[in-house]
C-alpha cells in the first residue's frame, strides 16, 4: 500500500533558526497537502500543491512539490514559538481522491 | 458555523466492551474519514467513506466497524476485538471547493 514518510521525526531549533521537513511518498500523488497540529489539538490545513515542481509561500513558510509528484518539503524561515507543533504532509492516490494517507509527521520544538 | 462535531471528547472503557464514537458534519461533504493517532505518532487511516451506504477499509481496520447511513454521520465502533484501542481518534471530511480535509476536535479513548 501507499506509504508516506517524513524526515526528521523530531526537530528542536533555537528561535530564529530555519526549519525544513521532507515528505516522500511511495506512489505518485495527485496533489500534496500540508497540515499543522498544535499540541493537544487537531490537524489544520495549511496549503495544497497540485502542479509538478510547484512552489508556494505563506509568509515565512515555503512549500515545494517535487517534479515527479512523489515528494515535497516545507521550509520555515526564522522560526517563532508559535510554529511549535507537528507538521504532516498528506495526499490522495494519483488515481482518485478516495484514500488520503498522512505522512509520519515532524514534530517541531522551538526553544525561546 | 459549518464544521465537524465529535463526541464524546473523552471516553473510558473497560476491556471487552464495545464503544461507539460519534462524528457529525454539516459541511455537506461527501467523503468522511476516521484516523487513529497514538502518542507521538502520525495519523493512520481506519475507514473512509466516499458516499452514503459505502465505505472502505483503511490501513488499520481490524477491530473497528463503521456505518454511513446518512451523509452527515459516520460513527466508528471500537470493538472488543481491537487489542490496543487506547488512542486519539480523529474524524474528518473531504469536500467543498477546496477539496481539503476538515477535522473534528477528536475523541480520546482510554481502556482501563
Amino acid at each position: 500500500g501507499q506509504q508516506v514518510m517524513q524526515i526528521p521525526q523530531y526537530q528542536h531549533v533555537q528561535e530564529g533558526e530555519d526549519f525544513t521537513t521532507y515528505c516522500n511518498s511511495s506512489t505518485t500523488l495527485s496533489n500534496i497537502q500540508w497540515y499543522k497540529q498544535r499540541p493537544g489539538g487537531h490537524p489544520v490545513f495549511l496549503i495544497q500543491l497540485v502542479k509538478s515542481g510547484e512552489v508556494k509561500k505563506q509568509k515565512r513558510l515555503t512549500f515545494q512539490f517535487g517534479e515527479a509528484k512523489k515528494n515535497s518539503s516545507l521550509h520555515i524561515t526564522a522560526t517563532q514559538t508559535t510554529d511549535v507543533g507537528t507538521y504532516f504532509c498528506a495526499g490522495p492516490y494519483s488515481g482518485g481522491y478516495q484514500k488520503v494517507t498522512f505522512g509520519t509527521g515532524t514534530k517541531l520544538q522551538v526553544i525561546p | 458555523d459549518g464544521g465537524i462535531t465529535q463526541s464524546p471528547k473523552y471516553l473510558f472503557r473497560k476491556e471487552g466492551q464495545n464503544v461507539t464514537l460519534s462524528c457529525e458534519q454539516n459541511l455537506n461533504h461527501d467523503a468522511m474519514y476516521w484516523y487513529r493517532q497514538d502518542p507521538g505518532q502520525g495519523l493512520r487511516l481506519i475507514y473512509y467513506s466516499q458516499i452514503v451506504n459505502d465505505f472502505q477499509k483503511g490501513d488499520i481496520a481490524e477491530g473497528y466497524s463503521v456505518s454511513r447511513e446518512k451523509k452527515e454521520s459516520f460513527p466508528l465502533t471500537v470493538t472488543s476485538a481491537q487489542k490496543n484501542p487506547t488512542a486519539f481518534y480523529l474524524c474528518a471530511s473531504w469536500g467543498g471547493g477546496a477539496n481539503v480535509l476538515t477535522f473534528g476536535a477528536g475523541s480520546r479513548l482510554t481502556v482501563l
Side-chain angles (χ1 to χ4, degrees):
Chain A
Q2 181 188 27
Q3 291 187 333
V4 183
M5 304 297 294
Q6 279 181 255
I7 55 170
Q9 189 175 5
Y10 301 97
Q11 184 82 59
H12 292 78
V13 299
Q14 205 73 34
E15 189 172 17
E17 292 183 339
D18 292 356
F19 159 78
T20 303
T21 173
Y22 300 91
C23 172
N24 292 286
S25 172
S26 59
T27 58
T28 302
L29 301 168
S30 59
N31 64 73
I32 190 104
Q33 299 178 349
W34 284 90
Y35 293 80
K36 177 183 178 181
Q37 184 177 26
R38 294 184 184 275
H42 59 275
V44 174
F45 172 76
L46 291 177
I47 206 163
Q48 176 172 271
L49 304 168
V50 178
K51 299 177 183 176
S52 170
E54 188 171 13
V55 177
K56 285 189 175 180
K57 292 190 176 183
Q58 281 183 351
K59 298 182 180 178
R60 294 178 294 104
L61 278 62
T62 302
F63 303 83
Q64 291 188 320
F65 199 10
E67 294 291 340
K69 302 186 81 171
K70 294 178 72 174
N71 59 75
S72 181
S73 66
L74 158 59
H75 179 81
I76 302 178
T77 303
T79 54
Q80 299 175 358
T81 54
T82 53
D83 296 325
V84 165
T86 302
Y87 293 85
F88 294 99
C89 61
Y93 279 115
S94 182
Y97 288 84
Q98 299 96 331
K99 188 178 179 184
V100 182
T101 299
F102 275 73
T104 46
T106 296
K107 186 173 183 178
L108 173 64
Q109 193 65 261
V110 178
I111 305 164
Chain B
D1 285 337
I4 297 181
T5 302
Q6 288 188 242
S7 63
K9 190 171 183 179
Y10 298 96
L11 185 62
F12 296 88
R13 180 195 107 174
K14 292 182 180 179
E15 280 191 21
Q17 288 181 335
N18 292 355
V19 61
T20 298
L21 307 180
S22 170
C23 178
E24 303 280 332
Q25 56 107 350
N26 60 4
L27 299 166
N28 199 32
H29 287 173
D30 289 317
M32 297 187 74
Y33 300 77
W34 275 104
Y35 290 90
R36 169 181 171 145
Q37 187 173 34
D38 294 282
Q41 302 295 314
L43 280 68
R44 292 184 290 168
L45 182 62
I46 305 172
Y47 269 97
Y48 58 104
S49 168
Q50 278 284 101
I51 56 173
V52 174
N53 292 323
D54 183 63
F55 48 83
Q56 304 294 326
K57 291 182 179 180
D59 300 313
I60 56 164
E62 185 175 352
Y64 300 97
S65 66
V66 294
S67 63
R68 187 86 187 276
E69 298 177 0
K70 299 186 300 182
K71 186 175 184 178
E72 302 79 18
S73 179
F74 191 40
L76 173 74
T77 297
V78 185
T79 75
S80 56
Q82 170 51 236
K83 297 305 178 188
N84 187 19
T86 294
F88 188 44
Y89 291 89
L90 287 158
C91 178
S93 68
W94 169 285
N99 270 334
V100 300
L101 282 173
T102 301
F103 282 87
S107 292
R108 197 169 297 277
L109 172 64
T110 302
V111 173
L112 304 173

